[in-house]
Amino acid sequence: MAVRDTLNQIEDLVASSSHVPFTEKIVINDNDLIHLVEELRQELPLEMERADEIMRERDSIIMSAQQEATNIINQAKQQAAQIVDENDLVLKAKERSKAVLQQAQQQEQEIIERTRQNARELQDNADRYANQVFDQLIAHVTQTFQGVQQAQAGLEQARQILLQAKAQMNQQTAQQAYNQVQTQAYNAQVPDQNYST
């Protein structure tokens, strides 16, 4: 299914992302992630429409079963009306009509009950499927968001390390320059003292 495929792609993207050195963070291509999230936005309405279609099929099945039950009852009534004769034939016709009517009513109840059971199963399956889709989507989006946060934290840590290294380098350079100036000043003063003596 399209939604599950996209979720698997997001999971693969997280799993195959590069790790930031010396950390447990990962670097994710934001363009790929945004593209996959956009696919989910387009696919979820289609999945929901499929669930709605299942519900519509359930209603259609119930209506069809009710129509079939009505047809059976009508046929039973027609058969009962046709079995009309005198004396024993009339009595037998009435008994047969009653039996046929009872059988038709029993069949009607069985059909309606089976239809309701099928409808409940369709509804339960649709609900379970929708919940699975949303649960997987929430889990993958949460995992992806955590991965992005970890990647940002890793980048910030690397930035701080670079800033510290730069500051140390600048401090060492300044100290070396200061020492060199001091040495030159000292060397410039020593000949003057010797000359004066």
Side-chain angles (χ1 to χ4, degrees):
M1 295 181 182
V3 170
R4 292 184 180 178
D5 292 341
T6 304
L7 290 174
N8 289 334
Q9 290 178 18
I10 293 176
E11 185 177 7
D12 293 341
L13 177 63
V14 173
S16 62
S17 298
S18 301
H19 283 77
V20 177
F22 310 110
T23 69
E24 295 181 357
K25 319 299 183 187
I26 60 174
V27 178
I28 295 179
N29 187 319
D30 57 347
N31 288 331
D32 292 342
L33 180 60
I34 290 172
H35 174 70
L36 292 173
V37 171
E38 184 62 29
E39 284 187 5
L40 284 177
R41 285 198 184 108
Q42 295 175 0
E43 293 163 357
L44 274 177
L46 297 177
E47 296 296 337
M48 298 305 297
E49 184 176 345
R50 289 177 189 168
D52 291 339
E53 184 177 349
I54 291 174
M55 295 298 299
R56 288 193 296 270
E57 289 179 358
R58 181 199 68 170
D59 295 337
S60 176
I61 291 172
I62 291 175
M63 290 179 61
S64 177
Q66 291 175 342
Q67 182 63 41
E68 183 179 353
T70 301
N71 291 338
I72 291 174
I73 291 175
N74 291 335
Q75 290 176 2
K77 289 179 178 179
Q78 290 175 0
Q79 290 177 2
Q82 290 174 358
I83 307 174
V84 176
D85 202 351
E86 297 178 358
N87 301 327
D88 293 341
L89 293 178
V90 172
L91 181 59
K92 290 179 181 179
K94 288 181 179 180
E95 291 176 353
R96 170 122 179 114
S97 173
K98 183 178 179 181
V100 170
L101 184 59
Q102 288 177 347
Q103 182 180 4
Q105 290 174 343
Q106 183 178 356
Q107 289 178 351
E108 176 191 16
Q109 291 299 322
E110 290 174 356
I111 292 172
I112 291 176
E113 184 58 33
R114 284 199 305 269
T115 302
R116 287 177 179 171
Q117 181 65 29
N118 291 337
R120 283 194 293 268
E121 290 177 0
L122 287 173
Q123 179 66 50
D124 292 341
N125 291 338
D127 291 342
R128 279 196 298 270
Y129 177 73
N131 285 329
Q132 287 176 356
V133 170
F134 279 112
D135 289 342
Q136 290 178 358
L137 177 60
I138 291 170
H140 281 80
V141 169
T142 300
Q143 183 179 5
T144 302
F145 179 72
Q146 290 174 349
V148 171
Q149 285 185 321
Q150 290 175 355
Q152 289 177 341
L155 291 174
E156 180 60 25
Q157 183 179 3
R159 177 177 168 275
Q160 293 297 329
I161 292 172
L162 290 175
L163 290 174
Q164 291 176 2
K166 178 182 177 183
Q168 290 177 357
M169 181 189 69
N170 291 337
Q171 184 178 4
Q172 291 174 356
T173 302
Q175 184 65 40
Q176 290 175 356
Y178 175 79
N179 292 339
Q180 186 176 4
V181 169
Q182 289 293 98
T183 301
Q184 291 176 353
Y186 176 78
N187 290 337
Q189 290 175 358
V190 171
D192 293 339
Q193 293 175 356
N194 292 336
Y195 180 79
S196 61
T197 57

